[in-house]
Amino acid sequence: SAGEAPAVQESPFNSFEDVITKVAEERDIELELALERMKVTHFSAHGDIEYVAAPDQPRDLVRRLKSFLEEHTPFEWRIRSTEERSAPVESLSERRKREEARTLEELKRQPFVAEALKAFPGAEIVQVKQPADENAPPGDVAQFPKRDASAPSPARKKEADR
């Protein structure tokens, strides 16, 4: 009926990371890498992105990003560049590097790791993997089969037969 406000359509993208995740799922590696380096200063799920332009970004980045977003949402996107703000803006790849560096520094301060690095001059930590979340559903981890506690083990049975 007339007079009703048009329904605001849901966006599948609540953050810029959601956009990058979707690009990655569609295997557009070139676009994914460019977006990971993009310094986004403002992101609105309903069609507004502001970013700091970088001299090394692909010339067609904005056009490609806009067409990708409009392919996945029912509305038009405004993507504009802005001058670098006084507050430093981090791209996703910069944040990841900073977090990895911090994790590495924290690791080097652990007594066991510090001792190991002292014991092996010239050794360096090349990769840090996060431990699997114990509460996460098992993926590649196969659970040990539960042994029936009531069944005697074969070894004990042989001893009993003697």
Side-chain angles (χ1 to χ4, degrees):
S1 64
E4 280 182 31
V8 173
Q9 280 156 322
E10 280 306 297
S11 174
F13 308 117
N14 294 313
S15 69
F16 194 63
E17 278 88 347
D18 290 350
V19 175
I20 295 174
T21 302
K22 186 71 180 164
V23 168
E25 282 170 13
E26 297 197 1
R27 300 264 185 268
D28 188 341
I29 311 263
E30 195 186 327
L31 183 57
E32 180 189 354
L33 290 172
L35 296 182
E36 282 188 353
R37 289 194 295 263
M38 204 172 179
K39 294 184 180 197
V40 175
T41 56
H42 170 78
F43 178 88
S44 156
H46 291 98
D48 205 28
I49 296 177
E50 209 171 85
Y51 71 99
V52 178
D56 61 341
Q57 78 184 31
R59 272 207 317 271
D60 63 345
L61 177 62
V62 172
R63 182 186 57 74
R64 288 177 60 198
L65 175 58
K66 186 175 163 67
S67 71
F68 177 84
L69 290 164
E70 289 175 1
E71 196 180 301
H72 293 281
T73 54
F75 41 83
E76 195 178 333
W77 284 76
R78 283 178 57 214
I79 303 169
R80 8 176 245 292
S81 66
T82 178
E83 293 303 308
E84 183 103 39
R85 300 278 168 89
S86 52
V89 184
E90 233 178 0
S91 69
L92 186 65
S93 68
E94 286 171 333
R95 187 175 77 208
R96 204 180 288 134
K97 280 184 193 131
R98 180 176 52 79
E99 286 170 358
E100 282 169 7
R102 193 186 64 221
T103 303
L104 229 110
E105 285 312 307
E106 286 170 5
L107 192 66
K108 286 177 185 172
R109 285 196 289 272
Q110 303 245 341
F112 179 79
V113 177
E115 285 302 308
L117 290 172
K118 249 186 263 173
F120 299 97
E124 60 179 76
I125 301 167
V126 289
Q127 190 176 27
V128 179
K129 287 192 175 174
Q130 293 304 319
D133 179 8
E134 290 166 17
N135 302 322
D140 300 334
V141 181
Q143 300 297 321
F144 276 110
K146 298 269 186 277
R147 218 156 104 208
D148 184 2
S150 63
S153 70
R156 285 201 195 106
K157 195 172 178 198
K158 280 184 192 145
E159 286 169 15
D161 288 345
R162 277 188 202 147

